[in-house]
Amino acid sequence: MTTSLVAALAISRPWETAGPVASGEDAPVVPPMRPSQLPDKTRSVSVDFATVVDPDTDWSKVAVRLDEAGANAVELNAGRIEFTAFDWEAHPAAAAEPGTDHLAVAARALHRAADGSNRQVGLVVDTMAPNWLADHPSAAGVSVDGRRSVYQASASQLVDGEVGRRLVDLVGALCERYDPAQISITELFLSDYTFGSDDRRLFERMTGRSDWPRTSDGSINEDASSIKAWRAAVIAELLARMRERMDATRDGAGSRIGLAMDVRIDWKNPARGNLISGHDYAVLLTRVERLILWAYLYRTRRPEDLDRVLDRLRRTGLDMSRLTVSVGLWERPPSRQVGPIGTSQFLAALRAAESHGITSVNVTPLSLMSDPYWKALASVWNPDGA
């Protein structure tokens, strides 16, 4: 849920104002987002969408905080197919504030560190689409008992439908307009809502089976390995289309932009990934350059659990250099009101994240980073105050 939006933001769009909008001619020039030389260790902070598009965000203050903390990268949430932080030419109605390129505004303030070095600036695409699904309910995923998802599109929509096409187009538009260090795909998981009739037909087409796997009483076997493998294949297919679009942009220059994906952790059996969500790490790593592990402890897990997970992944032979560990500050899954985990837990999680060969660590979201958390971050990333 790196930089994901809470439900209230998705529905109410509180960043919209009745005031004048900026002219396109006044929009800032897009700065360099991808340094020619990447650092040995990447330490990034993710900026949630509401903060990106908030006209009151003090980007100069954020830049100082990043300098003090020793962050050499930043991830900006670019939005969803239904609202964006820039003017999307193909879908102008999606712009949070028409005429204002919020990504360029933020990147100009943050791409250069105080020592003159260039920070990596990545962009995040959120695959949830609650407003779109409210208007197109047949596109929503369906649970085994017939309930429709509020946030997730069906698997068939991702493979054959308009939601998947728009996601690929959004990634392509970001590559055309910017040159980010990477584009990260978040909230792309398939777990409970993949059992509609359209998804059954897709499952049969992709697997060659004639029906869902079933238990002895005739109910769908939701835990079947064939369903888990199919979900991973659906996600991999969408990622492959995104990568193909990226590679084709700007006469091939888009091929230099990394593609990453946020993934859940199976805290009990982490070796292969969170298979029930379609997050088979080995499969996804054939389509993306990097996986971003949701190391979100909330109130229920300890930093020692994260250390154990990373140790298990390293022992399985996974290439740890292709993993980013994202330390989430949420004390519980994001909702209308949610506070941060304790500073001591945050500090211990940061230290656990930089173990077992991990060279890329992310902290999310910026909106929960009050002064004590910035100080804790600096004590790990920039202990000498350099």
Side-chain angles (χ1 to χ4, degrees):
M1 286 177 297
T2 303
T3 65
S4 65
L5 306 180
V6 299
L9 295 182
I11 303 301
S12 65
R13 297 170 65 112
W15 51 85
E16 292 187 341
T17 65
V21 298
S23 166
E25 296 180 356
D26 297 330
V29 175
V30 177
M33 293 184 173
R34 186 164 43 83
S36 56
Q37 178 148 6
L38 300 180
D40 294 333
K41 289 187 176 182
T42 300
R43 290 161 166 170
S44 63
V45 175
S46 290
V47 187
D48 38 306
F49 184 82
T51 302
V52 169
V53 300
D54 187 345
D56 294 327
T57 297
D58 187 341
W59 292 114
S60 61
K61 183 177 179 180
V62 174
V64 170
R65 288 292 202 181
L66 294 175
D67 284 326
E68 293 173 345
N72 57 16
V74 65
E75 299 290 324
L76 305 175
N77 194 309
R80 299 171 173 169
I81 62 170
E82 55 195 19
F83 48 77
T84 58
F86 67 102
D87 286 313
W88 187 2
E89 185 176 351
H91 303 285
E97 187 178 359
T100 299
D101 187 337
H102 291 282
L103 298 175
V105 170
R108 281 186 66 81
L110 305 180
H111 83 283
R112 185 68 58 85
D115 63 2
S117 62
N118 286 332
R119 281 195 189 90
Q120 296 181 77
V121 180
L123 302 177
V124 180
V125 170
D126 186 333
T127 64
M128 286 188 173
N131 296 340
W132 172 271
L133 297 180
D135 293 335
H136 306 82
S138 63
V142 179
S143 69
V144 73
D145 59 359
R147 291 176 292 111
R148 289 195 176 273
S149 173
V150 174
Y151 296 102
Q152 268 93 35
S154 65
S156 61
Q157 269 291 313
L158 298 181
V159 173
D160 298 321
E162 182 64 16
V163 172
R165 285 191 288 271
R166 288 204 180 200
L167 284 169
V168 173
D169 289 345
L170 177 54
V171 168
L174 292 173
C175 285
E176 289 284 359
R177 189 179 182 101
Y178 311 98
D179 189 24
Q182 71 177 13
I183 292 178
S184 304
I185 310 302
T186 193
E187 303 289 357
L188 180 55
F189 51 86
L190 297 170
S191 49
D192 298 325
Y193 296 98
T194 61
F195 296 104
S197 58
D198 54 345
D199 283 351
R200 178 181 54 79
R201 290 190 293 271
L202 179 66
F203 175 79
E204 293 171 355
R205 188 180 91 205
M206 293 179 67
T207 66
R209 299 176 66 108
S210 60
D211 189 14
W212 298 114
R214 297 187 180 273
T215 63
S216 58
D217 65 3
S219 60
I220 297 173
N221 182 3
E222 299 177 61
D223 197 45
S225 59
S226 59
I227 291 179
K228 295 174 182 176
W230 166 69
R231 288 170 175 166
V234 168
I235 293 174
E237 192 273 348
L238 178 60
L239 293 171
R241 289 158 57 201
M242 291 176 175
R243 182 71 266 176
E244 183 179 9
R245 177 66 64 85
M246 293 169 69
D247 292 347
T249 58
R250 291 186 287 113
D251 296 323
S255 63
R256 297 193 293 265
I257 301 170
L259 179 62
M261 179 178 156
D262 287 13
V263 291
R264 288 169 162 172
I265 292 172
D266 184 330
W267 293 88
K268 292 183 178 179
N269 300 291
R272 289 187 59 188
N274 192 297
L275 301 184
I276 198 169
S277 300
H279 292 175
D280 185 320
Y281 296 169
V283 171
L284 300 181
L285 282 170
T286 67
R287 296 291 182 258
V288 299
E289 285 71 48
R290 179 170 294 278
L291 296 179
I292 302 170
L293 275 60
W294 283 356
Y296 302 166
L297 303 182
Y298 303 132
R299 295 178 178 176
T300 56
R301 300 186 181 96
R302 303 172 301 163
E304 292 85 351
D305 297 329
L306 176 58
D307 180 83
R308 180 183 58 82
V309 163
L310 296 178
D311 179 58
R312 290 283 297 277
L313 292 177
R314 180 183 61 82
R315 290 176 182 271
T316 63
L318 199 63
D319 185 352
M320 305 299 276
S321 70
R322 296 181 65 186
L323 303 180
T324 293
V325 176
S326 182
V327 177
L329 273 74
W330 299 282
E331 63 177 347
R332 53 189 170 84
S335 57
R336 186 176 295 272
Q337 291 183 343
V338 59
I341 59 177
T343 52
S344 59
Q345 187 183 20
F346 173 60
L347 192 59
L350 281 174
R351 290 175 173 150
E354 294 196 343
S355 62
H356 304 290
I358 293 295
T359 59
S360 177
V361 179
N362 170 260
V363 169
T364 183
L366 177 76
S367 58
L368 290 180
M369 288 288 290
S370 60
D371 187 61
Y373 295 87
W374 284 111
K375 290 179 178 177
L377 187 60
S379 71
V380 177
W381 286 0
N382 191 25
D384 300 326

PDB file of all heavy atoms in Angstrom, residues 288-300:
ATOM      1  N   VAL A 288       9.280  -7.522 -14.125  1.00  0.00           N
ATOM      2  CA  VAL A 288       9.692  -6.235 -13.562  1.00  0.00           C
ATOM      3  C   VAL A 288      11.146  -6.309 -13.126  1.00  0.00           C
ATOM      4  O   VAL A 288      11.691  -7.391 -12.910  1.00  0.00           O
ATOM      5  CB  VAL A 288       8.810  -5.818 -12.368  1.00  0.00           C
ATOM      6  CG1 VAL A 288       7.362  -5.651 -12.789  1.00  0.00           C
ATOM      7  CG2 VAL A 288       8.921  -6.814 -11.223  1.00  0.00           C
ATOM      8  N   GLU A 289      11.744  -5.128 -12.993  1.00  0.00           N
ATOM      9  CA  GLU A 289      13.129  -5.074 -12.531  1.00  0.00           C
ATOM     10  C   GLU A 289      13.229  -5.185 -11.012  1.00  0.00           C
ATOM     11  O   GLU A 289      14.254  -5.615 -10.484  1.00  0.00           O
ATOM     12  CB  GLU A 289      13.787  -3.763 -12.986  1.00  0.00           C
ATOM     13  CG  GLU A 289      14.144  -3.708 -14.454  1.00  0.00           C
ATOM     14  CD  GLU A 289      12.931  -3.608 -15.367  1.00  0.00           C
ATOM     15  OE1 GLU A 289      12.048  -2.767 -15.115  1.00  0.00           O
ATOM     16  OE2 GLU A 289      12.865  -4.403 -16.340  1.00  0.00           O
ATOM     17  N   ARG A 290      12.145  -4.814 -10.328  1.00  0.00           N
ATOM     18  CA  ARG A 290      12.241  -4.726  -8.866  1.00  0.00           C
ATOM     19  C   ARG A 290      10.892  -5.022  -8.228  1.00  0.00           C
ATOM     20  O   ARG A 290       9.841  -4.642  -8.756  1.00  0.00           O
ATOM     21  CB  ARG A 290      12.705  -3.312  -8.486  1.00  0.00           C
ATOM     22  CG  ARG A 290      12.840  -3.031  -6.994  1.00  0.00           C
ATOM     23  CD  ARG A 290      13.536  -1.708  -6.757  1.00  0.00           C
ATOM     24  NE  ARG A 290      14.915  -1.788  -7.233  1.00  0.00           N
ATOM     25  CZ  ARG A 290      15.919  -2.318  -6.541  1.00  0.00           C
ATOM     26  NH1 ARG A 290      15.694  -2.801  -5.325  1.00  0.00           N
ATOM     27  NH2 ARG A 290      17.135  -2.353  -7.026  1.00  0.00           N
ATOM     28  N   LEU A 291      10.928  -5.710  -7.086  1.00  0.00           N
ATOM     29  CA  LEU A 291       9.755  -5.899  -6.245  1.00  0.00           C
ATOM     30  C   LEU A 291       9.911  -5.060  -4.985  1.00  0.00           C
ATOM     31  O   LEU A 291      10.998  -4.994  -4.407  1.00  0.00           O
ATOM     32  CB  LEU A 291       9.592  -7.373  -5.858  1.00  0.00           C
ATOM     33  CG  LEU A 291       9.331  -8.363  -6.985  1.00  0.00           C
ATOM     34  CD1 LEU A 291       9.227  -9.778  -6.411  1.00  0.00           C
ATOM     35  CD2 LEU A 291       8.066  -8.008  -7.773  1.00  0.00           C
ATOM     36  N   ILE A 292       8.821  -4.427  -4.575  1.00  0.00           N
ATOM     37  CA  ILE A 292       8.820  -3.589  -3.381  1.00  0.00           C
ATOM     38  C   ILE A 292       7.989  -4.304  -2.322  1.00  0.00           C
ATOM     39  O   ILE A 292       6.761  -4.415  -2.437  1.00  0.00           O
ATOM     40  CB  ILE A 292       8.242  -2.193  -3.685  1.00  0.00           C
ATOM     41  CG1 ILE A 292       9.049  -1.525  -4.806  1.00  0.00           C
ATOM     42  CG2 ILE A 292       8.236  -1.331  -2.423  1.00  0.00           C
ATOM     43  CD1 ILE A 292       8.421  -0.254  -5.340  1.00  0.00           C
ATOM     44  N   LEU A 293       8.657  -4.815  -1.299  1.00  0.00           N
ATOM     45  CA  LEU A 293       7.997  -5.613  -0.266  1.00  0.00           C
ATOM     46  C   LEU A 293       7.290  -4.711   0.744  1.00  0.00           C
ATOM     47  O   LEU A 293       7.905  -3.809   1.313  1.00  0.00           O
ATOM     48  CB  LEU A 293       9.014  -6.488   0.469  1.00  0.00           C
ATOM     49  CG  LEU A 293       9.374  -7.843  -0.134  1.00  0.00           C
ATOM     50  CD1 LEU A 293       9.972  -7.682  -1.535  1.00  0.00           C
ATOM     51  CD2 LEU A 293      10.347  -8.584   0.758  1.00  0.00           C
ATOM     52  N   TRP A 294       6.020  -4.983   0.963  1.00  0.00           N
ATOM     53  CA  TRP A 294       5.259  -4.226   1.948  1.00  0.00           C
ATOM     54  C   TRP A 294       5.646  -4.687   3.359  1.00  0.00           C
ATOM     55  O   TRP A 294       5.012  -5.569   3.933  1.00  0.00           O
ATOM     56  CB  TRP A 294       3.770  -4.437   1.751  1.00  0.00           C
ATOM     57  CG  TRP A 294       3.182  -3.658   0.608  1.00  0.00           C
ATOM     58  CD1 TRP A 294       3.809  -2.757  -0.193  1.00  0.00           C
ATOM     59  CD2 TRP A 294       1.819  -3.722   0.158  1.00  0.00           C
ATOM     60  NE1 TRP A 294       2.935  -2.260  -1.124  1.00  0.00           N
ATOM     61  CE2 TRP A 294       1.713  -2.831  -0.928  1.00  0.00           C
ATOM     62  CE3 TRP A 294       0.714  -4.451   0.565  1.00  0.00           C
ATOM     63  CZ2 TRP A 294       0.509  -2.639  -1.615  1.00  0.00           C
ATOM     64  CZ3 TRP A 294      -0.479  -4.265  -0.121  1.00  0.00           C
ATOM     65  CH2 TRP A 294      -0.582  -3.368  -1.188  1.00  0.00           C
ATOM     66  N   ALA A 295       6.651  -4.080   3.923  1.00  0.00           N
ATOM     67  CA  ALA A 295       7.078  -4.421   5.284  1.00  0.00           C
ATOM     68  C   ALA A 295       6.287  -3.562   6.273  1.00  0.00           C
ATOM     69  O   ALA A 295       6.840  -2.733   6.991  1.00  0.00           O
ATOM     70  CB  ALA A 295       8.583  -4.187   5.438  1.00  0.00           C
ATOM     71  N   TYR A 296       4.993  -3.791   6.294  1.00  0.00           N
ATOM     72  CA  TYR A 296       4.098  -2.999   7.130  1.00  0.00           C
ATOM     73  C   TYR A 296       3.800  -3.801   8.397  1.00  0.00           C
ATOM     74  O   TYR A 296       3.089  -4.812   8.368  1.00  0.00           O
ATOM     75  CB  TYR A 296       2.798  -2.688   6.390  1.00  0.00           C
ATOM     76  CG  TYR A 296       2.992  -1.951   5.077  1.00  0.00           C
ATOM     77  CD1 TYR A 296       1.960  -1.861   4.154  1.00  0.00           C
ATOM     78  CD2 TYR A 296       4.206  -1.344   4.752  1.00  0.00           C
ATOM     79  CE1 TYR A 296       2.117  -1.189   2.957  1.00  0.00           C
ATOM     80  CE2 TYR A 296       4.385  -0.669   3.558  1.00  0.00           C
ATOM     81  CZ  TYR A 296       3.337  -0.591   2.663  1.00  0.00           C
ATOM     82  OH  TYR A 296       3.496   0.068   1.469  1.00  0.00           O
ATOM     83  N   LEU A 297       4.333  -3.330   9.506  1.00  0.00           N
ATOM     84  CA  LEU A 297       4.214  -4.078  10.751  1.00  0.00           C
ATOM     85  C   LEU A 297       2.872  -3.860  11.446  1.00  0.00           C
ATOM     86  O   LEU A 297       2.391  -4.743  12.166  1.00  0.00           O
ATOM     87  CB  LEU A 297       5.350  -3.695  11.700  1.00  0.00           C
ATOM     88  CG  LEU A 297       6.773  -3.900  11.166  1.00  0.00           C
ATOM     89  CD1 LEU A 297       7.790  -3.523  12.233  1.00  0.00           C
ATOM     90  CD2 LEU A 297       6.982  -5.337  10.700  1.00  0.00           C
ATOM     91  N   TYR A 298       2.286  -2.677  11.229  1.00  0.00           N
ATOM     92  CA  TYR A 298       1.060  -2.320  11.947  1.00  0.00           C
ATOM     93  C   TYR A 298       1.262  -2.561  13.457  1.00  0.00           C
ATOM     94  O   TYR A 298       2.349  -2.386  13.981  1.00  0.00           O
ATOM     95  CB  TYR A 298      -0.142  -3.078  11.404  1.00  0.00           C
ATOM     96  CG  TYR A 298      -0.391  -2.898   9.932  1.00  0.00           C
ATOM     97  CD1 TYR A 298      -0.630  -3.984   9.095  1.00  0.00           C
ATOM     98  CD2 TYR A 298      -0.389  -1.617   9.364  1.00  0.00           C
ATOM     99  CE1 TYR A 298      -0.870  -3.811   7.730  1.00  0.00           C
ATOM    100  CE2 TYR A 298      -0.615  -1.437   8.008  1.00  0.00           C
ATOM    101  CZ  TYR A 298      -0.856  -2.532   7.198  1.00  0.00           C
ATOM    102  OH  TYR A 298      -1.075  -2.363   5.864  1.00  0.00           O
ATOM    103  N   ARG A 299       0.203  -2.959  14.126  1.00  0.00           N
ATOM    104  CA  ARG A 299       0.310  -3.256  15.566  1.00  0.00           C
ATOM    105  C   ARG A 299       0.551  -4.739  15.829  1.00  0.00           C
ATOM    106  O   ARG A 299       0.722  -5.148  16.978  1.00  0.00           O
ATOM    107  CB  ARG A 299      -0.988  -2.846  16.278  1.00  0.00           C
ATOM    108  CG  ARG A 299      -1.287  -1.352  16.280  1.00  0.00           C
ATOM    109  CD  ARG A 299      -2.625  -1.118  16.971  1.00  0.00           C
ATOM    110  NE  ARG A 299      -2.965   0.297  17.049  1.00  0.00           N
ATOM    111  CZ  ARG A 299      -4.111   0.749  17.538  1.00  0.00           C
ATOM    112  NH1 ARG A 299      -5.023  -0.115  17.985  1.00  0.00           N
ATOM    113  NH2 ARG A 299      -4.360   2.032  17.592  1.00  0.00           N
ATOM    114  N   THR A 300       0.516  -5.528  14.771  1.00  0.00           N
ATOM    115  CA  THR A 300       0.451  -6.975  14.960  1.00  0.00           C
ATOM    116  C   THR A 300       1.782  -7.693  14.775  1.00  0.00           C
ATOM    117  O   THR A 300       1.899  -8.860  15.154  1.00  0.00           O
ATOM    118  CB  THR A 300      -0.561  -7.573  13.969  1.00  0.00           C
ATOM    119  OG1 THR A 300      -0.177  -7.203  12.639  1.00  0.00           O
ATOM    120  CG2 THR A 300      -1.957  -7.034  14.253  1.00  0.00           C
TER     121      THR A 300
END
